[in-house]
Amino acid sequence: MSERGSMLAQPLQRPSAGRTLLFLGLFVLGAVVGAAGALVQAGWFPGGLLLALAGEAGLLLGGGRATSSRGGAIAPAAGWMIAVILLTASRPEGDFLFGAGGGSYLFLLGGMAVAVICATLGQGRQPTGRDVRLGK
């Protein structure tokens, strides 16, 4: 076992400025993908919906891989969800972006399901080095 003990027993530290900017960039990129997906899914119904959900999944999995953490998938998922929720609200004039059709509901619920799946598949905190197994 290493002299520092288990990585899970170590105190939490503030992330570096670069990592914070990376998460902020992923958050903004998630909002952009959510807004673009809201427009594409209604434009080309079956294909646009699949394209929007595939774009979201690619961003979430890529963010998780780029940061080697689940936070890399959660940050763009949060941006996606906030953008989509804000786009569902109607304006005082009565305008809104999402219609009441089944495609809109599939985009909302499917996007949330994709976010949960991709955040679950992300890499958690894993110890590294030679002594990662007990007794070795």
Side-chain angles (χ1 to χ4, degrees):
M1 194 130 158
S2 69
E3 62 277 354
R4 291 179 32 167
S6 172
M7 187 170 93
L8 296 175
Q10 300 300 317
L12 293 176
Q13 299 175 357
R14 281 185 178 240
S16 66
R19 193 162 177 88
T20 302
L21 284 175
L22 179 63
F23 284 129
L24 184 62
L26 286 170
F27 178 84
V28 170
L29 196 56
V32 169
V33 168
L39 297 173
V40 169
Q41 64 89 20
W44 307 308
F45 171 59
L49 176 65
L50 294 175
L51 181 65
L53 294 177
E56 180 197 4
L59 173 64
L60 299 179
L61 289 175
R65 294 275 181 177
T67 61
S68 298
S69 69
R70 286 192 177 114
I74 292 172
W80 182 91
M81 197 162 305
I82 288 172
V84 169
I85 295 298
L86 289 176
L87 290 174
T88 59
S90 62
R91 296 180 12 181
E93 295 86 16
D95 299 338
F96 55 90
L97 190 62
F98 285 99
S104 297
Y105 292 118
L106 284 175
F107 176 67
L108 291 171
L109 297 175
M112 288 182 209
V114 165
V116 169
I117 290 168
C118 292
T120 304
L121 290 176
Q123 299 173 352
R125 291 181 66 183
Q126 297 292 325
T128 58
R130 288 182 343 127
D131 304 331
V132 296
R133 294 183 70 192
L134 295 177
K136 290 235 173 195

